[in-house]
Amino acid sequence: MPEILYADAAVAVVVKPAGVLSQGDAEDAMPVLLQKQLGGAIFPVHRLDQPTGGVMVYARTAARTQDAAAKLSAQMQSEAFGKEYLAVLDGAPEPAEGELHDLLFFDRQKGKSYAVRRKRAGVKDARLTYCVLAQAEGLTLVRVRLYTGRTHQIRVQFSSRGWPLTGDGKYGSRNNRCAPALWSAELHFAHPVTGETLIFRSQPPEAYPWTLFSPDSL
């Protein structure tokens, strides 16, 4: 069962295991697993790709918190809802910290996003910042702050510059020793009922490639 970091009548904050669906009604999808643990309805307000694990928040139902999902979704459109990730990249990005700003198009038939040069139907702005934390064996650990939530955004923004996520064969990595090395490390948001700022963190699993780096750098 998923690790629950926090739960009340309005929200549940959990650690999604890598490989588990973040949405849907399949028996092994996160909403169903959380219903079994917590009872009541569970509403996704954001998503993680199936191979990506880490901290997530879900809205719950209660008599006075029916709009928790709407309030959390509204926060997603502003910087009030903060999302930070850890990623391991093939190669070394230059400079060691910076901002990536792209136009992304998601091709539904191919299930893949592309960085494009011009605005057109279906093209969306994408922005993130990153900083290098450590390097080992030709790989680079980075911390990423996500400002927009586009499909496969982190994966395609780095791969389009020649630094694919380690293990992400879909976007150019030749390393097949792991799934795409991406982990939702931190969320902060205002509680939809009390307004209190909540911060939650999660460490990646003790597995390759995360174990190449010292715990202090994660």
Side-chain angles (χ1 to χ4, degrees):
M1 286 294 185
E3 178 186 1
I4 297 174
L5 302 179
Y6 175 89
D8 62 18
V11 299
V13 182
V14 303
V15 178
K16 183 185 92 67
V20 175
L21 290 168
S22 61
Q23 300 178 339
D25 55 8
E27 282 297 309
D28 57 352
M30 285 295 295
V32 176
L33 295 175
L34 291 175
Q35 285 173 351
K36 292 178 180 178
Q37 285 182 274
L38 300 172
I42 301 292
F43 298 100
V45 293
H46 63 126
R47 66 182 295 276
L48 291 177
D49 293 342
Q50 186 172 355
T52 304
V55 62
M56 292 189 69
V57 59
Y58 290 84
R60 303 181 67 194
T61 53
R64 64 189 182 88
T65 58
Q66 293 292 336
D67 61 349
K71 288 182 177 179
L72 287 171
S73 295
Q75 286 188 52
M76 295 279 179
Q77 310 306 314
S78 71
E79 294 185 14
F81 194 105
K83 294 182 283 188
E84 296 193 7
Y85 293 78
L86 292 171
V88 180
L89 311 178
D90 293 351
E94 290 288 345
E97 60 181 278
E99 177 175 316
L100 305 185
H101 192 180
D102 292 290
L103 297 174
L104 300 187
F105 174 75
F106 179 63
D107 187 321
R108 294 186 180 278
Q109 289 188 331
K110 296 181 179 179
K112 189 172 180 180
S113 287
Y114 297 87
V116 299
R117 294 184 177 183
R118 298 177 183 175
K119 272 279 193 181
R120 56 185 168 91
V123 172
K124 298 180 179 180
D125 288 305
R127 184 168 71 96
L128 61 79
T129 56
Y130 72 91
C131 66
V132 169
L133 300 178
Q135 294 180 315
E137 298 184 11
L139 307 180
T140 302
L141 175 69
V142 297
R143 191 169 189 92
V144 179
R145 172 72 187 273
L146 199 61
Y147 294 93
T148 52
R150 311 308 182 199
T151 302
H152 300 173
Q153 178 180 336
I154 295 173
R155 298 165 66 182
V156 69
Q157 285 200 271
F158 282 110
S159 70
S160 67
R161 291 164 170 83
W163 315 310
L165 270 63
T166 301
D168 194 0
K170 186 168 192 170
Y171 286 99
S173 176
R174 296 182 179 180
N175 186 325
N176 61 6
R177 294 179 60 187
C178 60
L182 183 63
W183 188 261
S184 176
E186 181 177 318
L187 290 183
H188 68 258
F189 58 92
H191 191 283
V193 176
T194 67
E196 178 187 2
T197 297
L198 302 177
I199 302 174
F200 299 94
R201 298 181 177 91
S202 172
Q203 291 285 87
E206 293 185 5
Y208 178 91
W210 308 107
T211 49
L212 295 177
F213 305 97
S214 71
D216 291 341
S217 64
L218 294 170

